[in-house]
Structures are given as structure tokens and as C-alpha cells.
Amino acid sequence: PVLVQFIYTGYIQACPVGVRTLKSAVEAARDAFGPNRFHVVTIGFNTPADNADAMGSFARSQGITMSEWRFAAVEPGRRDDLVRAFGFTYAWGPAGIDHVSQITLVDLDGTIYRQIYGDTFPLPALLEPMRELLAGQRSRESGVGAWLDRVRLLCTVYDPIAGRYRV
């Protein structure tokens, strides 16, 4: 399985928090499932600013040294198709780029298996679907809760003082 996360390196509030949250979850997943059982890719979507050098610098600043975790830049002409394929949305706002934090869990066939939303999230929200994929026990989400988990609000802005998104 692959965990995919989109960030932009110029967002000094939410994106580092999201990466640190994912780092803790990845460390827990490595402890639970073993090393090299999954991969992680963090993609900078603010082209051309989030180039290979910026992504490498960001990874170092967050203390990411795991061999199964890569930080990648996107070619400017390919960004829109890539983010659309992952269901990731963003919009330019007065203070920069507004986006919902999400981690996408992709199965071995390259199919999106689960989306996990938020700068922070409960550990089981990530580890349970990973366990299902690693054990070959895919489940289907259903019901109102699953539907609500898929709803993404594009019209949100991160409030660093309150430490949360607001509509």
C-alpha cells in the first residue's frame, strides 16, 4: 500500500502539522506491521515553488529519514490531473492556498482505498484500513458515516490562532 499526502512547503501552519501527524502514524504503522510493508509519498502541489530542492529541504526540516518515505515535486503541467485523480482540492485565497488536509491510502492495484481527512486524526483511522489491505481483508465503507467522511469542504480556511479550519 501507499500513503499519499499533498502539501505546499510555504504553508508554515497546517502542512507541517499534517506531516508530523503522519510521521507519528507511520512510525506506529512500522511498529505494528514491520518496516517496508508500505510506502509514503508526500507531494508538493504548489508548482513551481515546491520543486525537488524545496521538498528535500522540507523533509529534512521535519526530520523524515525513513527509507519508505519519499518527498516529490510535480511537473507544473501535470499537477491538475494528479490532484484530480486523488480527489484533492485546493483554491487560491487571500493568504495563500486553501486546501483540506488529506491522506490517501492506495492499494496494490493503484486504487484509492480510503481517504483520511484532517491535520490530525485518530491513529485507528489510518492503521485499520492499512491492516485490512496488508491482511488481504478489504472492507467496503457504507452508511452515513462513510458518506460524511468523503465530503470535502473546499470553502474552508485554516485559522492558525484557533488551530482549526473554519467555513
Side-chain angles (χ1 to χ4, degrees), residues 111-114 132 137-143 146 150:
T111 302
I112 293 175
Y113 182 62
R114 198 69 46 90
E132 292 167 3
Q137 300 172 338
R138 295 176 63 99
S139 69
R140 298 287 289 165
E141 288 186 297
S142 61
R150 289 189 201 100

Side-chain angles (χ1 to χ4, degrees), residues 105-153:
L105 178 56
V106 180
D107 68 15
L108 297 174
D109 297 323
T111 302
I112 293 175
Y113 182 62
R114 198 69 46 90
Q115 302 277 23
I116 298 104
Y117 296 102
D119 297 332
T120 61
F121 51 85
L123 197 52
L126 180 68
L127 293 188
E128 279 304 307
M130 284 185 67
R131 182 195 56 76
E132 292 167 3
L133 287 179
L134 291 168
Q137 300 172 338
R138 295 176 63 99
S139 69
R140 298 287 289 165
E141 288 186 297
S142 61
V144 174
W147 178 79
L148 288 174
D149 284 344
R150 289 189 201 100
V151 173
R152 282 170 275 160
L153 297 175

Side-chain angles (χ1 to χ4, degrees), residues 53-110:
D53 290 338
M55 295 304 293
S57 177
F58 188 87
R60 286 187 297 280
S61 75
Q62 300 305 308
I64 308 295
T65 59
M66 297 169 215
S67 62
E68 58 267 87
W69 194 332
R70 300 283 187 259
F71 281 73
V74 177
E75 293 178 26
R78 301 184 140 206
R79 177 191 58 199
D80 292 341
D81 289 339
L82 180 65
V83 299
R84 190 173 16 264
F86 280 90
F88 178 78
T89 54
Y90 66 94
W92 288 96
I97 304 173
D98 296 330
H99 68 90
V100 175
S101 295
Q102 85 183 42
I103 298 165
T104 304
L105 178 56
V106 180
D107 68 15
L108 297 174
D109 297 323

